[in-house]
Amino acid sequence: MTINYSAAALKARREAIRWHLLSAVDLSRPVGIYTEALLPIIQSVYPDATHQEIRRELDYLEAREMVTIARDPTDRWFVDLTRTGIEFVEYTIEAQPGVARPRITQG
């Protein structure tokens, strides 16, 4: 069964996956994490998420200089946050477009 999502729903999904990836990689600090361990985390929110989808969004985050990716000869990806990624997750820099970072509200 194939589900056709609207363009807005796909955009929201991509941006949310990016936030969840950043949050998960942040929790792995200072060691970092392999993408194989990230997949079940993302699938807990989006059960149909794929390893390729995770890699695509990590590639985007790497281009934004929020993560570094070490690619080994067996095609495993090891991910860690950059300084910018850490500051973004910790809310010390302004939100950037393309990542659905939740707002902090005062209660």
Side-chain angles (χ1 to χ4, degrees), residues 45-103:
V45 180
Y46 296 100
D48 61 338
T50 65
H51 194 243
Q52 181 62 30
E53 185 175 22
I54 300 306
R55 284 185 168 198
R56 184 177 57 243
E57 301 314 330
L58 286 169
D59 186 64
Y60 173 90
L61 293 170
E62 183 182 43
R64 299 288 301 272
E65 298 180 348
M66 298 177 92
V67 300
T68 58
I69 302 171
R71 295 161 175 88
D72 73 17
T74 62
D75 198 34
R76 291 184 77 201
W77 288 17
F78 187 77
V79 185
D80 205 355
L81 289 181
T82 63
R83 178 190 61 83
T84 303
I86 293 167
E87 291 178 357
F88 185 79
V89 170
E90 293 180 349
Y91 290 81
T92 57
I93 61 174
E94 292 296 317
Q96 299 181 22
V99 180
R101 181 174 77 175
R103 289 187 186 169

